[in-house]
Amino acid sequence: MSEARITWVGGPVLKACATGPFSIFEALAVGERRLLGEVIQLRGDELVAQVYEDTTGLEPGVTVVGLERPLSVTLGPNLLGGIFDGLLRPLSRATDFQIQPGATERSFARHRLEFAVRNGDVLSAGAVFARTVAPRPQSLLVPPWASGRVAALVEPGEHRDDETLLVLVDDTGRRHELTMQHDWPVRRSRPVRERLGVNAPMITGQRILDTLFPVARGGRAALPGGFGTGKTVLQEALAKWCDADVIVYVGCGERGNEMAEVLDEFPQLEDPRTGRPLAERTVIIANTSNMPVAAREASIYTAITVAEYFRDQGLNVALMADSTSRWAEALREVSGRLGELPGEAGYPAYLSSRLAEFYERAARVTSLAGAEGSVTIIGAISPPSGDFSEPVTLHTKRYVRCFWALDRQRAQARFYPAIHPLQSYGSDVQELADWWKRSGNPDWLVQRQRVLELLEAQAHLERMARIVGRDALPAQQQVRLLCADLVNEGFLRQSSFSKVDRFCSPARQVAMLSVLLHFADRADAAVAAGVPPARLAAMPMLRQLQRLGEEFSEDDLLRLRQLPRQIDYEFDQLQTVASHAG
Amino acid sequence: MQADLLLENAVTRIEGPLLFARREARVGLNAAVEVLAGNGPPRLGRVAALDETSMVIEVLESTAGLALRGTRIRLHPEPLLFGVGPHLLGRVFDSVGRPLDGGPPVAARSRRRIEGLAINPAWRALPRDFIETGIATIDVMNSLVRGQKLPLFSAGGLPHDRLAAEIAQRARLRGTQGEESFAVVFAGIGVPHDTAEQFRLAMESSGALGHTAMFLNLADEPGMQRLLAPRYALTAAEYLAFEEGRHVLVILTDMTNYCEALREVSASHGEIPGRKGYPGYMYSDLASLYERAGCIRGRPGTLTQLPILTMPGDDIGHPIPDLTGYITEGQIVLDRELDRRGIYPPVRVLPSLSRLMDAGIGEGFTDPDHPALAHQLFAAYARALRVRVLASVMGEQGLPESDRRFLAFGERFERQFVHQANARTLEESLETGWAALQGLPHSELTRLSNAQIGRHLGAEGHA
């Protein structure tokens, strides 16, 4: 291993004079405490490195050791249900409540496993060679660089996670000893056989997302919003209820108490599809805002690498990144310390390409071994003073397919999720219409379009109403406003804290939307037939429709589907009365 | 442990708060130093950067009067530490933890790094103990829980100091009358002398001074020390909370002065400025203070923060409130217009928020209908303000009946719910909230269930 000696140190950056070869992005152990670092520049004998931990106490002359590999993380069956720092070191095993810098002692876990292969089988890279049994079955993969014929196997049963379980001999005669885990460099995407197109939405259980701005499996969505607009609550709601197999939740430069909330809540909540605690499908990567800034930069890559690892097992993975702005700021901070020429708003010029690299790692793929899996990225953005024209939001917009813009005004009226329907978009709508057709709603595309038109009209009419007064608008337009209000209140509003409404299945979404659009149809017709808008606004059933999500749970679908009949009845009454009066 | 080392005639250059010196002895990054000149008191500093032959020392006090010759540097082997122990309470300190009240130094039980160490997120317990502050807009609509950090976003001339003092005097768990051990730590950052004195008097009059530790960096003291006062205060608070098991409320005022000092220091380092000249790492730096709030699993004490900042130009988008809002768990925003109309406390309800509220209210914590009431008040008041804008354009007469009722609600809400002459219990606050909703058409109260309306509002009357 090469060594170097520190010649300069300031903040998280150090310079050192190397006595052996180092390579760019090589991982380093710095000083006696073996602080983790990474080479970021090489100039002759001098190397520049960033250190992922607190550098207090370092001084010139201290030894830096090259680890002869890029910054890597260990992937294996210990991840699910755990909480890790930005470099994937377990946080739950620490004995002190405050984080001490430096390498921690490695501890080992044991897992019971069954082999999926026999002696003599030929395994390709990425193949599943064994499965762990409890508490949740997980596949153990041949690393992407290894393949060959199985030459030796241990007995099935319980084993330590660093034990050699199986030996592969490849065509060149090279032996690969496999354990439950393998290392992978975080900045490199894991190889796949093929990238696939859009086929199905990731169901989030949030009506405004699934119905209006759906994200595809393997898609990319951005969630920008100023502080207090509900980014984190929405990210957490998605992490709880979306229909992914595995959730990777990375708190990148965010609040410690939010992590505590996830840790507190997830073990108690049940995954509606498996009946198991939600915590078991979740990997939490926590690099809170007061943890070292360089590790914040790495945490995003760590998270996506973990997500890819589960994807390669043939699973659908959702990565929640909260927040990518903090990651970009970490880039800016390190870049500033290196004295690089700043670009827009002080961010380094390579901000855009780094964002592109990250978002490109989301995909639906066929893995090396032929399994189909996906990684969907949902990245929160925290734009300064909620201004979407800042660099991180603008550059992200170029690489994502869905843009879920959070709106301060909605949030202040406690209208959640505070996604602004006119500023948001989803680009895979046409492709996903097929899925809705297959799932029993051939009209999804048309219904969605009607909702958007109604909301567009509302914005326009409210501007008019501000000038002339709502009562002065023509009757048809007053009814449009009424229906738009109804769609907002009864459909788009959805409380994450309501046990009934925190998750909404596609079937319930379809039923609710059909009810509301049916009301809109009848309302239009009634006004055309001469019923005054004030009479419509006074209909007693409106209150029920405004609280549709709360009043009809997933178990009330039948009752919900009956509602159009009640609507018909009430309108028939109204029109009879109206015609008698007329 | 290495012994302290004294360097003589090592200083080669002085620029603003930075001292460049030859590195004639071994010293590590961030090590504490004392700069000695003549017979004056030692000035504190720390090692900011190092290379093989030289080092940069950031002097945390004024560098006025330092000369290249004759200035000595005492190097400590460790970063800045604060010796904490029992008997911190009831005392007044300067920004670097030296007694200002003429008393003896605190006998140190442990010496702690003033920078603190990050709390392991896996060790945090979720804050969920509701604190009754006696202020309706906070208790009902933006509830404070133990372990939270909830700043006051204020502006020059608004009564934030009074509000903070009231919260400090009253903030207790419901049902307990001071049998738990609590403490208040006050960090005055660049505050005028009278502000500090007012706070002291307020605590004295409520008999809580014996539970209070004050760290003062007054307005006329060097800017550099503004960066230290909150760190010494929080180090003391962490000790009181997590070692002595007390429920500590930390008041940091005024964080705007802190950020100004940060900008000044960053400029003197020649760093690339970010938004409005503040350094790019201001977010991380503020987080290193605010994130020291919390609850720890298996430890009895808690650390709650109530930072106060004055928004420059009353602008909530200014980097100081903006970055603070991204770190803290909500904010209480004070408003000049309400203040002018004589409403106290002038809390602007809509942009105010408490993120941890949902964990600490409702069934089993406060009142089962508390969350729904809070949401309904927010929604109704948002509507009232929209209607108020309409009314100012076309006059009240041009509004439909339901809008007029919301207009009246807005006025009632501000005068009867927001405004309060005395502290209210939570029950009184909730009652006032329900009373304010009386008179609104029930069909428009979409955040309440029929059962809730029946329980609290009764049959629909006519306004």
Side-chain angles (χ1 to χ4, degrees):
Chain A
M1 283 186 213
S2 305
E3 284 195 2
R5 294 167 71 75
I6 295 180
T7 55
W8 178 91
V9 55
V13 176
L14 63 80
K15 293 176 185 165
C17 181
T19 52
F22 280 86
S23 57
I24 208 92
F25 289 137
E26 181 172 348
L28 304 170
V30 180
E32 279 169 22
R33 285 179 296 166
R34 296 184 67 78
L35 305 176
L36 202 53
E38 188 179 30
V39 179
I40 42 182
Q41 281 177 10
L42 289 168
R43 309 176 189 139
D45 284 345
E46 189 188 65
L47 66 85
V48 181
Q50 58 178 339
V51 182
Y52 291 119
E53 299 180 72
D54 182 18
T55 48
T56 294
L58 287 185
E59 58 178 306
V62 165
T63 308
V64 176
V65 180
L67 300 178
E68 294 179 339
R69 59 177 169 83
L71 183 71
S72 303
V73 293
T74 304
L75 303 168
N78 298 337
L79 298 174
L80 282 183
I83 175 166
F84 304 87
D85 73 359
L87 305 165
L88 213 62
R89 295 177 295 194
L91 284 169
S92 49
R93 296 207 196 122
T95 49
D96 189 8
F97 77 88
Q98 290 179 319
I99 296 172
Q100 304 288 341
T104 44
E105 222 167 281
R106 167 112 172 65
S107 60
F108 301 94
R110 301 179 71 85
H111 295 273
R112 179 171 292 280
L113 58 89
E114 285 166 359
F115 283 101
V117 297
R118 279 179 302 189
N119 239 324
D121 283 359
V122 175
L123 299 185
S124 64
V128 176
F129 69 86
R131 290 198 173 78
T132 61
V133 180
R136 180 197 154 118
Q138 288 191 61
S139 305
L140 304 181
L141 300 183
V142 177
W145 62 82
S147 63
R149 188 176 296 278
V150 180
L153 271 177
V154 296
E155 286 294 312
E158 205 174 90
H159 292 280
R160 221 169 83 155
D161 59 11
D162 63 333
E163 257 179 80
T164 300
L165 302 172
L166 175 146
V167 178
L168 286 182
V169 179
D170 66 18
D171 296 344
T172 60
R174 222 181 115 194
R175 288 166 58 87
H176 301 279
E177 298 185 349
L178 307 191
T179 67
M180 288 180 202
Q181 325 188 82
H182 62 263
D183 288 356
W184 187 263
V186 294
R187 295 185 198 278
R188 236 170 69 209
S189 56
R190 286 173 65 90
V192 298
R193 188 186 290 172
E194 195 188 356
R195 287 174 76 106
L196 304 169
V198 170
N199 75 333
M202 183 175 82
I203 295 300
T204 63
Q206 302 289 318
R207 288 186 286 272
I208 188 165
L209 300 184
D210 292 343
T211 298
L212 295 188
F213 312 111
V215 60
R217 284 192 186 286
R220 311 177 284 277
L223 185 61
F227 65 80
T229 50
K231 279 188 304 296
T232 304
V233 175
L234 188 58
Q235 284 267 32
E236 286 181 14
L238 297 182
K240 286 173 197 164
W241 310 118
C242 81
D243 69 346
D245 301 307
V246 171
I247 307 291
V248 180
Y249 194 102
V250 52
C252 174
E254 287 292 312
R255 306 176 181 88
N257 277 335
E258 276 164 11
M259 295 289 121
E261 190 168 277
V262 174
L263 284 176
D264 183 80
E265 223 177 333
F266 277 39
Q268 295 167 25
L269 292 171
E270 196 178 86
D271 184 345
R273 296 175 311 140
T274 60
R276 308 282 311 169
L278 274 180
E280 277 182 20
R281 71 163 189 178
T282 312
V283 181
I284 300 170
I285 294 168
N287 196 269
T288 54
S289 52
N290 55 342
M291 286 159 79
V293 66
R296 193 184 300 166
E297 192 264 330
S299 66
I300 287 281
Y301 295 103
T302 300
I304 188 83
T305 305
V306 170
E308 286 175 343
Y309 169 70
F310 287 105
R311 172 203 70 192
D312 290 348
Q313 299 180 23
L315 300 169
N316 292 309
V317 185
L319 171 69
M320 317 287 165
D322 186 13
S323 130
T324 56
S325 294
R326 304 296 162 229
W327 169 68
E329 284 165 10
L331 276 183
R332 175 169 70 183
E333 191 171 332
V334 174
S335 162
R337 302 250 183 206
L338 295 176
E340 290 172 343
L341 210 58
E344 228 176 322
Y347 288 106
Y350 46 77
L351 171 70
S352 172
S353 57
R354 291 286 173 89
L355 279 167
E357 272 169 35
F358 168 65
Y359 278 105
E360 268 310 290
R361 289 174 76 169
R364 195 168 73 87
V365 304
T366 310
S367 78
L368 288 179
E372 204 181 293
S374 67
V375 173
T376 310
I377 297 182
I378 294 163
I381 306 173
S382 320
S385 58
D387 168 17
F388 291 171
S389 64
E390 58 91 42
V392 180
T393 315
L394 285 183
H395 288 304
T396 304
K397 243 179 159 168
R398 292 164 50 203
Y399 306 118
V400 296
R401 303 284 296 168
C402 296
F403 190 73
W404 298 335
L406 291 170
D407 179 53
R408 182 158 271 162
Q409 273 202 341
R410 285 186 169 235
Q412 292 191 348
R414 301 308 192 256
F415 186 102
Y416 293 122
I419 293 169
H420 197 293
L422 300 183
Q423 284 174 22
S424 306
Y425 57 79
S427 313
D428 292 322
V429 170
Q430 292 297 335
E431 291 81 348
L432 295 174
D434 277 345
W435 180 88
W436 284 92
K437 213 176 276 174
R438 288 198 302 276
S439 329
N441 187 13
D443 302 329
W444 177 71
L445 213 50
V446 180
Q447 289 183 334
R448 173 182 181 277
Q449 199 54 46
R450 280 191 63 188
V451 172
L452 287 176
E453 278 167 13
L454 199 55
L455 295 168
E456 182 76 49
Q458 179 191 27
H460 176 71
L461 291 175
E462 272 183 351
R463 273 198 298 275
M464 302 266 292
R466 257 194 301 254
I467 302 166
V468 300
R470 205 163 167 151
D471 286 349
L473 292 176
Q476 283 293 354
Q477 296 187 345
Q478 286 186 44
V479 167
R480 300 219 84 185
L481 274 179
L482 179 77
C483 295
D485 279 344
L486 199 56
V487 165
N488 269 309
E489 280 289 329
F491 190 76
L492 300 186
R493 184 160 66 81
Q494 187 177 356
S495 166
S496 291
F497 297 101
S498 154
K499 282 212 164 54
V500 174
D501 207 24
R502 60 194 182 187
F503 172 82
C504 191
S505 67
R508 189 156 72 103
Q509 298 189 24
V510 171
M512 286 173 69
L513 195 56
S514 303
V515 167
L516 294 173
L517 291 177
H518 185 70
F519 179 90
D521 287 337
R522 290 298 312 246
D524 279 342
V527 167
V531 178
R535 294 290 292 280
L536 295 181
M539 285 173 75
M541 81 172 311
L542 267 184
R543 190 173 148 73
Q544 193 181 26
L545 295 180
Q546 282 166 340
R547 293 176 51 82
L548 210 51
E550 290 286 340
E551 307 264 330
F552 295 87
S553 73
E554 293 292 331
D555 302 328
D556 296 329
L557 277 187
L558 276 180
R559 254 187 345 115
L560 185 57
R561 292 195 181 114
Q562 303 289 326
L563 266 191
R565 271 200 236 156
Q566 196 192 330
I567 291 175
D568 284 337
Y569 174 77
E570 293 210 10
F571 272 100
D572 290 344
Q573 293 282 316
L574 204 65
Q575 271 164 289
T576 323
V577 175
S579 59
H580 280 276
Chain B
M1 198 193 273
Q2 283 167 263
D4 295 353
L5 285 165
L6 197 64
L7 300 185
E8 305 220 16
N9 292 326
V11 180
T12 56
R13 188 149 62 100
I14 302 175
E15 276 178 21
L18 300 183
L19 214 72
F20 297 78
R22 282 187 297 276
R23 195 172 75 94
E24 290 169 351
R26 284 192 57 188
V27 62
L29 195 64
N30 289 338
V33 299
E34 283 175 280
V35 179
L36 306 156
N39 297 325
R43 306 175 206 215
L44 281 180
R46 64 179 192 93
V47 177
L50 283 164
D51 66 20
E52 284 173 308
T53 56
S54 62
M55 58 185 169
V56 183
I57 292 168
E58 197 174 88
V59 182
L60 302 166
E61 305 182 39
S62 162
T63 48
L66 291 183
L68 294 186
R69 294 186 65 81
T71 296
R72 289 161 300 154
I73 301 168
R74 179 178 289 143
L75 300 173
H76 293 269
E78 287 164 318
L80 283 172
L81 301 175
F82 182 30
V84 288
H87 314 302
L88 275 171
L89 293 175
R91 302 292 307 271
V92 182
F93 303 91
D94 71 358
S95 41
V96 293
R98 293 178 290 223
L100 272 182
D101 50 9
V106 170
R109 179 171 291 174
S110 68
R111 293 171 59 75
R112 296 168 158 249
R113 277 183 64 175
I114 62 155
E115 300 286 340
L117 286 166
I119 297 175
N120 184 334
W123 273 82
R124 280 183 187 269
L126 183 62
R128 52 183 358 151
D129 289 336
F130 175 86
I131 299 178
E132 187 177 286
T133 63
I135 291 155
T137 38
I138 296 180
D139 289 349
V140 175
M141 301 180 74
N142 299 288
S143 314
L144 177 66
V145 293
R146 274 188 178 157
Q148 184 173 16
K149 40 194 180 293
L150 189 66
L152 286 177
F153 283 10
S154 186
L158 295 183
H160 44 263
D161 293 323
R162 177 178 159 198
L163 187 60
E166 284 178 3
I167 294 174
Q169 288 165 339
R170 295 177 194 151
R172 303 283 178 274
L173 280 198
R174 296 203 317 134
T176 61
Q177 258 98 43
E179 61 249 41
E180 285 181 297
S181 60
F182 69 97
V184 176
V185 173
F186 178 90
I189 307 162
V191 293
H193 185 268
D194 43 337
T195 303
E197 187 58 19
Q198 267 167 18
F199 183 82
R200 201 186 64 79
L201 285 176
M203 296 313 282
E204 194 171 30
S205 69
S206 69
L209 199 59
H211 296 282
T212 305
M214 297 180 74
F215 292 79
L216 297 181
N217 163 259
L218 298 177
D220 56 356
E221 288 177 308
M224 252 331 195
Q225 289 193 359
R226 297 197 177 140
L227 303 184
L228 294 180
R231 294 193 157 81
Y232 276 89
L234 285 166
T235 305
E238 278 176 346
Y239 166 79
L240 292 168
F242 304 131
E243 298 299 324
E244 292 199 351
R246 293 174 195 272
H247 297 291
V248 184
L249 177 71
V250 182
I251 294 174
L252 305 168
T253 181
D254 172 340
M255 289 306 290
T256 302
N257 294 340
Y258 176 88
C259 294
E260 295 300 337
L262 196 66
R263 175 162 69 175
E264 191 183 321
V265 171
S266 166
S268 72
H269 281 269
E271 288 163 347
I272 296 164
R275 248 199 313 161
K276 297 213 169 162
Y278 295 97
Y281 52 78
M282 190 157 89
Y283 176 84
S284 302
D285 191 276
L286 286 173
S288 74
L289 300 178
Y290 295 143
E291 277 291 322
R292 291 171 82 170
C295 313
I296 311 295
R297 278 193 286 121
R299 296 199 183 226
T302 57
L303 201 165
T304 311
Q305 279 188 25
L306 195 71
I308 298 170
L309 59 85
T310 44
M311 297 182 282
D314 292 9
D315 174 16
I316 200 171
H318 185 279
I320 297 172
D322 193 46
L323 294 180
T324 298
Y326 274 122
I327 304 165
T328 53
E329 283 127 4
Q331 63 279 332
I332 304 293
V333 184
L334 301 189
D335 182 57
R336 202 175 289 286
E337 195 201 316
L338 290 176
D339 186 53
R340 267 199 296 264
R341 287 167 50 200
I343 290 169
Y344 177 85
V347 175
R348 204 159 104 214
V349 168
L350 291 190
S352 299
L353 170 75
S354 164
R355 289 165 193 274
L356 297 179
M357 173 170 179
D358 294 282
I361 63 167
E363 187 85 58
F365 297 100
T366 55
D367 182 277
D369 295 335
H370 181 172
L373 171 65
H375 278 111
Q376 184 61 64
L377 287 172
F378 273 116
Y381 187 56
R383 166 109 181 248
L385 291 191
R386 275 203 306 275
V387 174
R388 198 177 276 175
V389 175
L390 283 182
S392 69
V393 178
M394 59 183 71
E396 203 178 314
Q397 303 318 314
L399 296 172
E401 162 70 13
S402 67
D403 278 359
R404 280 206 299 275
R405 291 218 225 163
F406 273 95
L407 201 60
F409 162 78
E411 195 62 22
R412 200 160 61 233
F413 177 80
E414 286 166 358
R415 294 277 168 207
Q416 294 166 16
F417 182 82
V418 178
H419 180 74
Q420 57 186 88
N422 302 304
R424 291 183 193 148
T425 63
L426 176 68
E427 285 70 20
E428 287 166 351
S429 296
L430 289 172
E431 204 40 57
T432 319
W434 290 113
L437 288 178
Q438 292 282 8
L440 285 180
H442 288 184
S443 60
E444 308 258 6
L445 301 177
T446 57
R447 311 296 169 93
L448 301 176
S449 71
N450 290 337
Q452 285 162 338
I453 289 180
R455 264 201 298 282
H456 299 282
L457 299 178
E460 176 133 30
H462 287 281

